[in-house]
Amino acid sequence: MKLNLPKIASSEITPQAVFEKRRELIKMAAGGALGLELSSWFSREAFATNKIQVKPNPSYTLMEKTTALKDVTSYNNFYEFGTDKADPIAYASSLVTSPWKVSIEGLVGKPKVFDIEDLRKLVPLEERIYRLRCVEGWSMVIPWVGYSLSNLLKLVEPLGSAKYVEFVSLADKKQMRGVNSSVLQWPYVEGLRLDEANHPLTLLTLGLYGDVLPNQNGAPVRVVVPWKYGFKSGKSIVKIRLVEKQPATSWNISIPSEYGFYSNVNPEVDHPRWSQASERRIGDEKGFFAPKIKTLKFNGYGDQVASLYAGMDLTKFY
Ligand SMILES: Nc1nc2c(c(=O)[nH]1)N[C@H]1C(S)=C(S)[C@@H](COP(=O)(O)O)O[C@H]1N2
Ligand SMILES: [Mo]
């Protein structure tokens, strides 16, 4: 299956031009002058080959160089296709992403099975530029396409007893060669507290770089939780379950001392086998030898999310 990627390489959008535009955009948002001008710039210049109608959300942008599309789509963790960074791009073409359904169930008043097409149309799609920090010590800056997960959760009317949300990825040996391996317990399951899932930053993600998600990035729908380590953001989701108790999650089951349920990005709490104080930005000119940059607490989203953890000992709830 051929990937449906935009024809312009991200490298053709010069970073300086992008910064200027983002700066302008933020000013406009601050002045309340959003709207036509903004969306026309994005559709004319940056995303001339868009397959998806997206509007940049200036509240969720960054003054950082975005990671080139080729790096975003060729250096991946998606163990359902193998454990090597190059496995997902090599083998994820076997994943059939249409038709695709996502069932939202559990402690909700109105459980519902959504077709992927309906999820794409639920509310207007936004472009949001987020940092993604992998627990392994590398990071990227990715222009995602999607909307706050809260838009979807409120439709199914969570019951008062619902305290956590469980995200279940597809696990089909026929389409996913890595599922034959016992490296993790399948299906891949991740979870959030309900208030984390409802935080506006938590993105139900349907695309990147102005197009649908490439298979290796979790097509056709994934979650992105930018203040947490990347493994909290499950790919190719088929089920979302609202539950009362903290769900058992794949990485926590396999190595609980290394991968906690919270997994907020935290340079002050080291992984038992390595420091989390710094990170390497993928795609930097000097490649593997690029100087490390400092990791920010909550991946730089502390102003927005620190209050979710008020009073909690983050060395204990890692
Ligand atoms: N289903 C599933 N989701 C997953 C993973 C996985 O192996 N399986 N890997 C996680 C990890 S460790 C990271 S860092 C991110 C990587 O997302 P990306 O490849 O789009 O950058 O996906 C996360 N989501
Ligand atoms: Mo990761």
Side-chain angles (χ1 to χ4, degrees), residues 9-308:
S10 59
S11 54
E12 287 170 39
I13 308 166
T14 63
Q16 195 50 41
V18 170
F19 292 159
E20 295 302 324
K21 283 295 178 190
R22 277 186 222 153
R23 210 162 269 139
E24 227 172 83
L25 202 140
I26 286 167
K27 266 193 249 152
M28 286 168 68
L34 269 173
L36 272 179
E37 265 186 80
L38 188 67
S39 49
S40 69
W41 168 71
F42 261 83
S43 51
R44 270 185 295 111
E45 293 184 47
F47 297 104
T49 60
N50 259 5
K51 306 289 193 305
I52 299 181
Q53 284 278 321
V54 283
K55 197 168 159 193
N57 186 329
S59 305
Y60 303 101
T61 192
L62 294 172
M63 291 299 166
E64 283 163 51
K65 183 182 170 186
T66 51
T67 305
L69 179 63
K70 72 164 173 23
D71 293 320
V72 172
T73 56
S74 65
Y75 188 90
N76 301 98
N77 273 336
F78 199 168
Y79 278 20
E80 285 85 336
F81 296 101
T83 56
D84 196 276
K85 297 283 175 290
D87 284 338
I89 192 171
Y91 302 117
S93 56
S94 55
L95 178 67
V96 179
T97 60
S98 174
W100 190 278
K101 290 180 193 302
V102 180
S103 170
I104 313 207
E105 52 189 63
L107 301 173
V108 296
K110 291 185 173 164
K112 189 173 152 86
V113 178
F114 290 85
D115 273 316
I116 189 66
E117 284 77 19
D118 295 331
L119 287 181
R120 291 198 177 105
K121 287 185 299 211
L122 197 71
V123 295
L125 295 169
E126 298 173 11
E127 178 178 80
R128 298 189 184 184
I129 301 174
Y130 283 167
R131 293 185 203 93
L132 179 136
R133 169 64 156 80
C134 178
V135 73
E136 295 164 338
W138 51 268
S139 62
M140 300 192 189
V141 176
I142 304 177
W144 300 110
V145 173
Y147 49 80
S148 296
L149 175 67
S150 61
N151 289 297
L152 180 58
L153 294 180
K154 73 173 176 230
L155 278 186
V156 297
E157 299 178 6
L159 303 178
S161 51
K163 299 284 182 257
Y164 293 88
V165 185
E166 184 181 88
F167 302 93
V168 183
S169 298
L170 180 70
D172 180 356
K173 287 183 181 176
K174 283 180 281 182
Q175 303 178 55
M176 304 167 128
R177 69 202 311 265
V179 172
N180 293 294
S181 141
S182 55
V183 60
L184 279 179
Q185 183 181 298
W186 311 110
Y188 191 100
V189 174
E190 256 313 328
L192 296 171
R193 240 171 37 196
L194 182 58
D195 60 343
E196 296 177 318
N198 271 326
H199 191 283
L201 275 169
T202 301
L203 192 70
L204 189 79
T205 306
L206 297 149
L208 60 80
Y209 269 111
D211 207 340
V212 296
L213 279 174
N215 285 2
Q216 60 270 39
N217 295 93
V221 59
R222 69 178 296 176
V223 173
V224 174
V225 193
W227 70 95
K228 293 178 179 280
Y229 292 115
F231 73 86
K232 296 296 294 179
S233 298
K235 293 176 167 182
S236 303
I237 301 282
V238 290
K239 199 188 290 179
I240 299 177
R241 230 157 58 88
L242 284 89
V243 295
E244 191 174 349
K245 300 219 167 69
Q246 183 177 302
T249 55
S250 292
W251 278 104
N252 185 246
I253 292 168
S254 84
I255 324 179
S257 61
E258 300 189 1
Y259 308 106
F261 176 78
Y262 282 92
S263 282
N264 294 313
V265 173
N266 193 343
E268 296 153 20
V269 178
D270 287 337
H271 184 278
R273 291 184 282 141
W274 56 80
S275 162
Q276 291 292 17
S278 64
E279 65 200 58
R280 184 173 62 89
R281 224 6 101 73
I282 297 297
D284 276 353
E285 288 69 24
K286 295 201 178 74
F288 219 90
F289 305 102
K292 288 211 165 190
I293 55 175
K294 277 192 161 176
T295 288
L296 302 169
K297 197 163 183 181
F298 298 112
N299 208 19
Y301 299 95
D303 286 351
Q304 291 138 84
V305 302
S307 61
L308 292 172

